[in-house]
Amino acid sequence: MSVYFEFTQALSIEAIDSNVMPQASAVSITQNTDANKTFSASKHLATVSQQRIMPHLAASRLTKIELDALMEQYSAIGIKDFVVIRGDDPSSATDFTDSISLLKYLQTHAPAHNHYCVAAYPDGHPLSSSPKQELTHFKAKVEAGADSAISQFFYQAESYAKLLDNCAANNIDVSVTPGIMPFTHLTQLQHIAKRCQVKLPRSLEQQFEKYADDPQSSQQLALELVLQLCEDLQRLGAPGFYFYTLNDLSLSLKIVELLSLK
């Protein structure tokens, strides 16, 4: 089972205990604004953990000149795995309008042995007008050079199963690792989901209603729900899990431990 841990660009590079890294197949670092911060964190982690590092490349935050220099820096330290995304503010884009244009550029301006991972959306992207449009866009990313994909987080295994079926029906042949967002209580999850424009299942929210005044039971339920989701995804043939840690490994590590014991 492949396990990926994502940390945000805001991470203090001293905050990760390198002792937990052997449990990770790769460590991913996001890029919000400054690509140099992502590079610095990636370089540090590559040095202290000897792990596979997957920096994000945000299309809307990079010019061609910046990207060329950045890819030379990554190549110099042996990093060849990347997560290619559009970025949160496409209105600020200059040379690259989306992940597709960035991927096409990388195919001719970066080392041929690099591996590029893109985003998939089991429940649809908030800007897509229809599931069909979202699938068409995903296929275009693969045709532009994506080697694999990680998904936005979700809480119904059926969403992942449907995505795999749609990919097979449309000849989209890449591995899709499901994104997992552990959480401690419903309010926290609702805040994150709103920020990421992810619609939560009403059935999930209803399960927490009886624990409104019982934080301990609420946290236990949250853990059980995510663990059950991971078990269901394993049965569906998921190649691993991509954990959105929000710079806190504790819950992700707990889930990995429990999965290993089953």
Side-chain angles (χ1 to χ4, degrees):
M1 180 180 68
S2 297
V3 176
Y4 305 84
F5 295 135
E6 180 189 279
F7 299 96
T8 73
Q9 186 188 56
L11 173 75
S12 167
I13 57 178
E14 292 81 14
I16 301 179
D17 182 349
S18 61
N19 292 328
V20 307
M21 291 301 106
Q23 298 191 47
S25 304
V27 177
S28 175
I29 305 293
T30 66
Q31 181 201 332
N32 296 328
T33 53
D34 188 355
N36 290 321
K37 289 184 178 180
T38 302
F39 174 77
S40 295
S42 299
K43 181 179 180 180
H44 176 80
L45 289 176
T47 301
V48 301
S49 70
Q50 301 301 311
Q51 270 300 319
R52 178 183 167 205
I53 309 299
M54 298 172 62
H56 286 216
L57 298 173
S60 64
R61 300 291 188 178
L62 291 165
T63 64
K64 290 180 180 179
I65 293 176
E66 290 170 337
L67 180 63
D68 289 343
L70 188 63
M71 297 308 287
E72 286 187 11
Q73 290 178 297
Y74 280 126
S75 180
I77 60 174
I79 290 180
K80 58 183 180 179
D81 297 281
F82 302 92
V83 178
V84 179
I85 60 172
R86 183 197 65 181
D88 292 335
D89 185 15
S91 64
S92 67
T94 53
D95 291 338
F96 306 109
T97 56
D98 54 23
S99 57
I100 295 173
S101 60
L102 180 54
L103 282 163
K104 289 179 177 179
Y105 185 84
L106 288 167
Q107 294 304 306
T108 55
H109 292 79
H113 60 267
N114 284 352
H115 182 103
Y116 301 112
C117 185
V118 295
Y121 295 84
D123 292 326
H125 190 282
L127 296 181
S128 294
S129 60
S130 67
K132 183 178 180 179
Q133 183 196 42
E134 176 58 37
L135 195 66
T136 299
H137 187 71
F138 180 45
K139 185 172 184 177
K141 288 191 281 189
V142 174
E143 292 174 343
D147 299 293
S148 63
I150 52 177
S151 86
Q152 175 62 285
F153 66 89
F154 57 93
Y155 292 96
Q156 292 178 310
E158 293 81 2
S159 297
Y160 181 73
K162 185 176 181 180
L163 174 63
L164 296 185
D165 288 344
N166 287 337
C167 286
N170 288 273
N171 298 313
I172 303 174
D173 187 21
V174 293
S175 172
V176 181
T177 299
I180 305 296
M181 176 73 78
F183 63 102
T184 55
H185 53 269
L186 182 61
T187 303
Q188 176 203 32
L189 178 60
Q190 289 172 327
H191 174 73
I192 296 169
K194 182 178 180 180
R195 188 178 65 194
C196 297
Q197 295 182 280
V198 172
K199 186 175 181 180
L200 298 176
R202 178 58 186 149
S203 59
L204 181 147
E205 295 178 315
Q206 288 176 331
Q207 292 184 68
F208 285 88
E209 292 177 355
K210 61 181 178 181
Y211 298 126
D213 299 318
D214 187 351
Q216 186 173 353
S217 295
S218 179
Q219 289 183 24
Q220 181 61 30
L221 175 60
L223 177 63
E224 291 173 357
L225 287 174
V226 175
L227 181 61
Q228 183 62 58
L229 173 64
C230 291
E231 292 173 350
D232 291 343
L233 293 171
Q234 283 184 312
R235 284 190 284 271
L236 289 172
F241 302 109
Y242 184 95
F243 288 96
Y244 296 98
T245 71
L246 301 179
N247 295 347
D248 182 356
L249 270 172
S250 57
L251 283 174
S252 298
L253 289 174
K254 181 65 174 178
I255 292 167
V256 171
E257 177 187 359
L258 290 172
L259 287 170
S260 300
L261 293 175
K262 287 184 175 287

